[in-house]
Amino acid sequence: HVQGVESGGGLVQAGGSLRLYCTATGLTFDDYAMGWFLQAPGTERAGGTCINWVGRITSYADSVKGRFIISRDNDKNTVYPQIYSLKPEDTAMYYCAAALSGSRWSLQPGSSWRYWGQGTQVTVSS
């Protein structure tokens, strides 16, 4: 049974920072690219950042570029986005997802993303 557990969300003031965590179990972690996606109320889920299986290839949505830094620790089955300079518009549920390394994964939250966590809420106050 594959499970991804996100944590690290919370309420933070604009300009602050957070580190989110996603620990995945039930899969061979380094067979998968990992991604983080955001969904604000009333909007569709959108890509934030992705990282390939070894951590050498990363992608960032324009809205988060320069403020999000994604990394992973394959020994701990964990992926971490560090988020700086948070803005109220970053308020959303943040989901981690896993895609097989050989699939056509991208920042689009499509079918390549095979497994999804339950999400962690990030709320940024102005």
Side-chain angles (χ1 to χ4, degrees):
H1 175 66
V2 177
Q3 187 175 14
V5 178
E6 300 99 330
S7 61
L11 174 64
V12 63
Q13 287 190 330
S17 62
L18 280 176
R19 195 182 201 197
L20 304 183
Y21 302 80
C22 173
T23 299
T25 57
L27 52 70
T28 303
F29 189 70
D30 54 9
D31 281 348
Y32 289 83
M34 298 298 294
W36 281 87
F37 297 83
L38 295 71
Q39 188 166 19
T43 69
E44 294 186 353
R45 197 168 296 186
T49 178
C50 307
I51 188 167
N52 80 327
W53 71 277
V54 72
R56 291 178 183 160
I57 298 173
T58 57
S59 298
Y60 297 93
D62 288 344
S63 60
V64 308
K65 203 169 290 184
R67 301 187 299 117
F68 284 31
I69 300 174
I70 191 169
S71 60
R72 65 189 291 162
D73 184 336
N74 287 353
D75 290 336
K76 296 181 179 178
N77 281 23
T78 301
V79 59
Y80 315 88
Q82 178 72 48
I83 310 173
Y84 299 97
S85 302
L86 278 155
K87 305 175 182 180
E89 51 264 44
D90 294 325
T91 295
M93 187 71 80
Y94 284 64
Y95 298 91
C96 76
L100 278 169
S101 290
S103 66
R104 293 180 179 270
W105 58 269
S106 71
L107 285 171
Q108 296 299 317
S111 59
S112 292
W113 296 100
R114 181 175 291 191
Y115 303 111
W116 292 85
Q118 294 300 306
T120 185
Q121 177 68 38
V122 173
T123 302
V124 184
S125 63
S126 57

